[in-house]
Amino acid sequence: MTTVPTDRSSAGDPARTLALLWREPGHGASGRGPKQGRTIDEVVNTAVELADTAGLEAVTMRRVAQALDVAPMSLYTYVPGKAELLDLMLDTVYAQMPRADHADRPWRARVEAIAEENRALFERHPWVAAVSTVRPPLGPGLMGKYEHELRAFNALGLDDVEMDAALTYLLSFVQAAARAAAEVRASQHDSAMNDEEWWAANGPLLAKASDATKYPTASRVGTAAGETHGGPYSPDYAYAFGLRRVLDGLGALIESRVGD
């Protein structure tokens, strides 16, 4: 069963969020309350650090205020609420992503580099992979990221809609792979065992379920995969295998355009 993210971007007040993202005069926050002693960047960076170390669920207005050593209610003079704060957090980590120039590389290397940049983002900030960005925060960080990544698909014969769809296809795969990797880490943490240790401890019970006579294909394939990966699933192998298939699929589309 696929887990539907409970946190999503652009869930706050659109006008205030955009004012905050682009640092417009007034920043979209309430003008009432005590005089500000911090900056909006300090608030956002503190929230990001809290999410990185304790998870997104730990990011509450009270916890952020405590980390900044300010009164909880004063935080609302910076941001209207957690929804707007989440958009600011996302846009900040997007803006901080390294953006190497891939223009002189073959298209497949360019696209693979974009995938690796996003995988690194999810490794640095695991909480980002769990946020739904169907309605993305349209801040400078996101727009710079989008511009940079679209250039990997330039001059390949794709029209504008196909370029956007190709990038979405790639990033959706990377995000799904990052979520799966996070689930593996969480299960290992909760059980205090890695996959190899868990399978070794539960081998006799699992052997009963894996009846080679009743389930010959599943037994053969499952055994081969388990022996190769030291467990039922390897996030690194799944990522590498899946990325090659994504690139192959895009390659077929690109080659069809060359032949048109």
Side-chain angles (χ1 to χ4, degrees):
M1 180 177 68
T2 301
T3 301
V4 177
T6 56
D7 292 291
R8 59 186 178 87
S9 60
S10 296
D13 181 275
R16 287 187 172 186
T17 299
L18 285 174
L20 284 161
L21 287 168
W22 291 92
R23 302 298 195 268
E24 294 177 358
H27 289 349
S30 171
R32 299 188 299 273
K35 183 179 179 180
Q36 295 181 343
R38 298 282 189 168
T39 66
I40 186 65
D41 290 332
E42 288 178 304
V43 173
V44 176
N45 289 333
T46 298
V48 169
E49 291 173 5
L50 188 58
D52 289 347
T53 57
L56 193 58
E57 64 278 4
V59 180
T60 64
M61 299 294 276
R62 180 173 294 276
R63 288 280 299 272
V64 174
Q66 288 174 343
L68 287 165
D69 194 25
V70 300
M73 289 305 297
S74 71
L75 208 61
Y76 292 94
T77 67
Y78 299 89
V79 291
K82 184 177 177 180
E84 292 83 2
L85 179 58
L86 178 58
D87 283 353
L88 288 163
M89 292 165 63
L90 286 169
D91 204 64
T92 294
V93 298
Y94 290 157
Q96 294 170 349
M97 289 178 67
R99 295 174 188 164
D101 184 3
H102 310 303
D104 60 343
R105 304 176 68 182
W107 77 263
R108 196 171 175 112
R110 297 199 305 266
V111 174
E112 185 172 358
I114 296 301
E116 291 294 337
E117 289 170 0
N118 280 272
R119 191 186 190 202
L121 168 72
F122 294 135
E123 289 178 350
R124 286 193 302 271
H125 309 289
W127 54 273
V128 176
V131 178
S132 170
T133 55
V134 174
R135 293 181 178 177
L138 300 178
L142 173 69
M143 295 308 298
K145 178 179 186 289
Y146 186 49
E147 174 72 20
H148 166 69
E149 293 171 348
L150 282 174
R151 290 175 183 170
F153 297 93
N154 261 337
L156 298 180
L158 305 181
D159 63 34
D160 288 348
V161 175
E162 288 173 332
M163 286 175 63
D164 177 78
L167 177 59
T168 300
Y169 177 50
L170 174 73
L171 298 186
S172 296
F173 160 73
V174 178
Q175 185 173 23
R179 287 177 182 169
E183 290 173 2
V184 170
R185 290 193 296 269
S187 66
Q188 292 175 348
H189 178 271
D190 293 342
S191 67
M193 292 186 287
N194 61 33
D195 284 344
E196 189 173 1
E197 292 168 337
W198 186 87
W199 278 81
N202 294 280
L205 293 174
L206 296 168
K208 292 182 179 180
S210 184
D211 187 334
T213 302
K214 196 171 184 179
Y215 309 109
T217 307
S219 177
R220 186 189 75 249
V221 173
T223 298
E227 290 176 350
T228 298
H229 304 316
Y233 179 76
S234 167
D236 289 339
Y237 181 89
Y239 173 80
F241 180 89
L243 181 58
R244 288 195 298 271
R245 304 293 79 79
V246 169
L247 294 173
D248 289 345
L250 291 173
L253 174 63
I254 292 166
E255 288 171 9
S256 73
R257 292 294 182 269
V258 173
D260 288 346

